[in-house]
Amino acid sequence: MSHPVLEVKNLSVSFGSREGALTAVNDISFHVDRGEVLGLVGESGSGKSVTGLAILGLIDAPGRIGANSSIRLDGQELVGMPEHELRRLRGRKLAMIFQDPMTTLNPVLRIDTQMIEAVTAHENVSERAARARAREALQRVGIPSPDERLLAYPHQFSGGMRQRVAIAIALLHRPALLVADEPTTALDVTIQAQIISEVQELASQTGTAMVWVTHDLSVVAGLADRVAVMYAGRIVEQGSVVDVLERPLHPYAHGLIGSVPSRNKRGSPLAQIPGMTPSLGRLPPGCAFHPRCPRATDICRGEWPEATAYPGGRTARCYHPHLENEVAA
Amino acid sequence: MLVYLIRRIAQAMLVIAVMATLVFFAVYAIGNPIDVLASPQADQIELAAISQRLGLDRPLWEQFGIFVWNALRGDLGTSFVYAEPAAKLILQRLPATFELAFTALAIAVFVGIPLGVYAGLNPDSLGGRSIMGGSILGFSLPNFWQGLMLILIFAVILGWFPAGGRGQTATVLGIESALFTLDGLKHLILPAMNLALFKMALVIRLARAGTREVALQDYVRFARAKGLSRSRIVGVHILKNILIPVVTILGLELGSMIAFAVVTETVFAYPGMGKLLIDSIGRLDRPIVVAYLMMTVVIFVVINLVVDIIYAAIDPRVRLSEVKG
Ligand SMILES: Nc1ncnc2c1ncn2[C@@H]1O[C@H](COP(=O)(O)OP(=O)(O)OP(=O)(O)O)[C@@H](O)[C@H]1O
Ligand code: SF4
Ligand SMILES: [Mg+2]
């Protein structure tokens, strides 16, 4: 009961290549409490998707999870769990939805096939009962005439409808945790908003906690309770949405949110930060952000700064944080 | 769907008409059958008599006209050598060749797909590499040589199977076939293997490439995230997607298997259509060659049509767009 739903400690994921291992996720720790939504933000390539896949145990060779990594779901360790046990958790206690609804459903299988198999993978029920469950799930995500839609193929659905189907599948078994990897990025703005509010409502009904990966700060502001900001495979700052979005400590987070007046901050996409996203193969020594950081000094080029705790349960990895933002206003 | 079918059938008819013209004139250009048919001692009068009897003395366009007219009535000419209708002679050999081609196809599919999928899922494993290595051999060694090796190893050295010929046939449900007797099957295995090897190598490559590509798709990842078993993911989600290219190519290849069973039939002295063709070319038995080529064209066209229909049946996206179009 005292466990968080998800507790990730010192998670590292590396991909072996000829030139040596690339560390896509480097020693990150975070937790998600029951019913809570954690927003995971960062530039492209910062390791958000890899983090999500690692939680589901879907990192394939040549990817490897680092030795000290720990991922606990309701207190149960997932790292090193045998595949057949992990399989029983996936789709039942742990679910994931992906960015592109055009590609997450199998194009040659009917919707009913894809939904029924998701039911029967975890429950020993008749095909009839499974179909009824599938029908009900489609109804819950607002798909009209579900009986008819069950017989359709994915290409007969719009993008928004497909993502609704994926969400319906993901929530079939009322999972404890849903990892949503930018599920609305590929959709129109109005549909985005609808889907986000639907997922939010469904998740609160089923008590599902969520890790929501996104580029869009307005989504984080509207949906998440806490937020973790990733840069080059590390979490550089995490804390409550209000703290991080309104009063970022880390210069990278500060840059992301930009210098727009605070009223508009929440509705804006990530601001562009001058400079290039570093490639994982050639990370600069020390704090990987230093070539782009306006506050960088010599010390930043030495070692990565440790994660430091600040009031309000936030942490940041920086030698020169925006301390003027430290105390709650 | 009906409009689509009618359009496709009209196309097929056109192809057959064009091919008929080409085939007739091409075969005409091969040589004068009189030189082969008549005895060397024959004099001018005898030669003229034979020419007249076979209709070879008439102008080319007239011969073509007669050929088209007869072909439209289903008569593809009479063999110069056997003095029997060419179509009948070929049809007698057809079952043997079909047996061979379909058995070979079945071997290629039921052995090739599992091997290819395995190699696609485990590209770096020893098994995966060996399968790929084997398929390269299947591609690069000449077909007749593979046939000779099969005979040498399995017929001569091991003595497991007969070295050639077609075995006994039996009639089941009105179909006479060597597939229904043990002796027939024994005779069929080696030539079918020989004919299958190249196609099997092709299927392995297609299945492997398809599997590697499909395994990386989001929908496979999503299927895993749903907690499906590996056998379900491979056997349903991956297999159904790779079947589309495999069926398309194999369907097209089936035609070539029937048409070019020639080499295998020759190596194994197997009495099919291919062997008849080779013999007839040697004797310049023009009607048989023409009839064979015409029937092959028809078989090709029909197979293409059937493949398109099967294709539409397994890929819902094609099905829908064709219905609309
Ligand atoms: N299978 C893989 N093999 C090798 N490298 C990989 C693999 N998957 C991811 N990576 C690397 O890991 C890094 C992080 O990728 P990830 O997909 O997590 O980024 P992301 O934060 O999700 O970006 P985006 O916003 O573009 O989705 C990238 O540099 C990527 O090249
Ligand atoms: S550690 Fe230095 S370089 Fe890195 S973010 Fe902080 S100030 Fe900038
Ligand atoms: Mg991503």
Side-chain angles (χ1 to χ4, degrees):
Chain A
M1 200 53 222
S2 58
H3 302 296
V5 173
L6 178 74
E7 184 158 36
V8 173
K9 275 207 177 121
N10 309 111
L11 174 67
S12 299
V13 182
S14 51
F15 291 93
S17 68
R18 296 267 143 70
E19 302 86 54
L22 294 181
T23 306
V25 169
N26 199 341
D27 194 23
I28 65 172
S29 301
F30 60 89
H31 67 272
V32 187
D33 289 325
R34 202 160 301 279
E36 191 181 46
V37 180
L38 174 75
L40 199 55
V41 299
E43 284 169 319
S44 194
S46 55
K48 306 180 298 291
S49 297
V50 171
T51 304
L53 292 171
I55 294 170
L56 276 270
L58 291 177
I59 300 289
D60 293 319
R64 261 185 319 105
I65 302 233
N68 299 324
S69 306
S70 160
I71 301 171
R72 284 171 179 273
L73 182 75
D74 277 335
Q76 190 180 15
E77 180 61 57
L78 303 185
V79 175
M81 183 183 268
E83 175 63 25
H84 67 273
E85 283 177 39
L86 259 178
R87 181 180 82 67
R88 289 184 189 289
L89 293 179
R90 281 188 213 124
R92 192 168 59 85
K93 292 193 72 178
L94 269 172
M96 185 159 181
I97 49 181
F98 296 90
Q99 176 167 357
D100 188 354
M102 294 308 184
T103 59
T104 41
L105 297 173
N106 195 322
V108 302
L109 298 178
R110 279 200 330 224
I111 299 298
D112 56 352
T113 313
Q114 303 193 45
M115 294 193 76
I116 289 170
E117 68 181 5
V119 176
T120 53
H122 300 291
E123 283 173 30
N124 201 358
V125 294
S126 69
E127 139 113 39
R128 246 180 104 95
R131 178 177 296 275
R133 285 275 296 281
R135 187 181 175 285
E136 200 184 304
L138 282 189
Q139 221 158 19
R140 251 193 321 233
V141 293
I143 290 184
S145 47
D147 282 315
E148 204 177 299
R149 302 312 272 161
L150 273 176
L151 300 180
Y153 285 92
H155 65 87
Q156 293 165 299
F157 287 74
S158 68
M161 283 296 167
R162 289 191 209 190
Q163 197 61 285
R164 286 195 169 91
V165 173
I167 290 165
I169 292 174
L171 296 179
L172 266 175
H173 297 280
R174 304 174 159 254
L177 180 78
L178 173 68
V179 177
D181 190 356
E182 308 195 50
T184 59
T185 312
L187 304 174
D188 292 345
V189 184
T190 43
I191 305 204
Q192 267 188 37
Q194 283 172 17
I195 289 198
I196 289 170
S197 71
E198 283 165 20
V199 174
Q200 197 169 16
E201 194 185 321
L202 289 170
S204 69
Q205 280 170 18
T206 54
T208 300
M210 293 198 277
V211 173
W212 194 284
V213 173
T214 180
H215 279 111
D216 191 340
L217 286 184
S218 63
V219 170
V220 174
L223 180 66
D225 303 302
R226 283 185 309 111
V227 60
V229 181
M230 290 190 76
Y231 188 80
R234 307 236 181 200
I235 291 182
V236 292
E237 175 160 4
Q238 68 177 303
S240 74
V241 166
V242 185
D243 282 343
V244 176
L245 292 195
E246 306 259 330
R247 300 178 287 276
L249 290 169
H250 195 278
Y252 174 65
H254 200 264
L256 278 185
I257 288 144
S259 51
V260 283
S262 69
R263 284 295 130 225
N264 303 334
K265 245 179 229 170
R266 291 184 152 210
S268 55
L270 297 192
Q272 284 296 314
I273 300 176
M276 291 263 292
T277 313
S279 110
L280 286 179
R282 280 175 284 112
L283 280 189
C287 170
F289 188 55
H290 79 246
R292 300 165 76 187
C293 180
R295 296 168 82 101
T297 60
D298 278 346
I299 186 179
C300 306
R301 295 177 188 95
E303 291 281 314
W304 259 101
E306 287 301 316
T308 311
Y310 295 90
R314 38 201 316 213
T315 58
R317 280 174 175 270
C318 176
Y319 292 115
H320 311 294
H322 288 262
L323 285 177
E324 71 276 16
N325 284 339
E326 182 186 352
V327 265
Chain B
M1 193 75 190
L2 190 67
V3 178
Y4 170 67
L5 265 182
I6 291 170
R7 204 172 54 208
R8 285 302 321 264
I9 289 171
Q11 276 173 5
M13 302 300 250
L14 184 69
V15 169
I16 291 172
V18 170
M19 282 306 297
T21 314
L22 286 177
V23 162
F24 183 84
F25 288 103
V27 171
Y28 193 89
I30 294 177
N32 190 349
I34 298 294
D35 305 341
V36 185
L37 288 172
S39 70
Q41 291 85 21
D43 58 19
Q44 281 303 320
I45 300 167
E46 280 177 75
L47 286 181
I50 297 175
S51 269
Q52 200 189 7
R53 179 165 54 81
L54 300 178
L56 295 170
D57 55 340
R58 308 196 192 191
L60 177 58
W61 61 268
E62 202 182 321
Q63 289 187 35
F64 181 61
I66 293 171
F67 162 72
V68 172
W69 175 241
N70 286 337
L72 285 177
R73 292 181 309 160
D75 174 7
L76 288 170
T78 301
S79 162
F80 297 160
V81 176
Y82 299 97
E84 278 195 70
K88 183 181 153 207
L89 288 168
I90 294 171
L91 285 177
Q92 280 172 354
R93 309 289 192 100
L94 196 71
T97 296
F98 271 32
E99 265 166 26
L100 182 62
F102 281 105
T103 309
L105 184 73
I107 294 174
V109 168
F110 291 109
V111 180
I113 289 182
L115 289 181
V117 169
Y118 178 86
L121 292 174
N122 310 285
D124 297 321
S125 69
L126 183 66
R129 284 167 191 274
S130 319
I131 290 168
M132 278 317 278
S135 86
I136 290 170
L137 282 186
F139 265 126
S140 46
L141 297 177
N143 200 238
F144 75 90
W145 188 83
Q146 292 176 3
L148 293 177
M149 285 301 116
L150 285 173
I151 293 178
L152 183 68
I153 297 171
F154 294 102
V156 177
I157 299 179
L158 296 172
W160 291 352
F161 301 106
R166 186 177 183 219
Q168 285 168 1
T169 59
T171 306
V172 173
L173 299 173
I175 303 166
E176 188 188 1
S177 169
L179 290 173
F180 304 132
T181 68
L182 188 61
D183 183 57
L185 286 175
K186 273 186 162 178
H187 279 83
L188 197 54
I189 287 226
L190 287 187
M193 276 298 292
N194 181 221
L195 191 56
L197 276 174
F198 185 86
K199 306 298 169 195
M200 198 156 89
L202 185 71
V203 172
I204 287 176
R205 304 216 138 202
L206 286 171
R208 182 182 111 112
T211 304
R212 292 197 70 173
E213 192 189 315
V214 170
L216 297 178
Q217 298 295 313
D218 279 353
Y219 55 78
V220 170
R221 200 168 254 182
F222 188 59
R224 292 171 68 196
K226 289 196 290 192
L228 301 187
S229 66
R230 190 171 162 81
S231 57
R232 172 101 194 158
I233 292 173
V234 173
V236 176
H237 285 257
I238 294 184
L239 194 63
K240 259 211 136 179
N241 278 283
I242 66 164
L243 278 186
I244 294 170
V246 172
V247 166
T248 313
I249 305 275
L250 266 191
L252 300 176
E253 292 287 327
L254 175 63
S256 80
M257 267 161 117
I258 292 169
F260 306 118
V262 176
V263 174
T264 297
E265 289 182 3
T266 308
V267 171
F268 286 87
Y270 188 87
M273 305 189 320
K275 188 146 185 312
L276 178 66
L277 173 71
I278 295 290
D279 296 345
S280 301
I281 290 175
R283 295 188 287 238
L284 286 180
D285 194 347
R286 218 185 263 171
I288 292 201
V289 178
V290 172
Y292 175 88
L293 291 176
M294 285 311 300
M295 290 174 70
T296 312
V297 169
V298 172
I299 290 172
F300 260 83
V301 168
V302 169
I303 286 174
N304 282 1
L305 197 63
V306 172
V307 168
D308 278 355
I309 293 168
I310 296 181
Y311 191 69
I314 50 179
D315 191 341
R317 290 162 295 191
V318 176
R319 189 156 65 217
L320 192 79
S321 58
E322 292 299 354
V323 169
K324 278 187 193 147

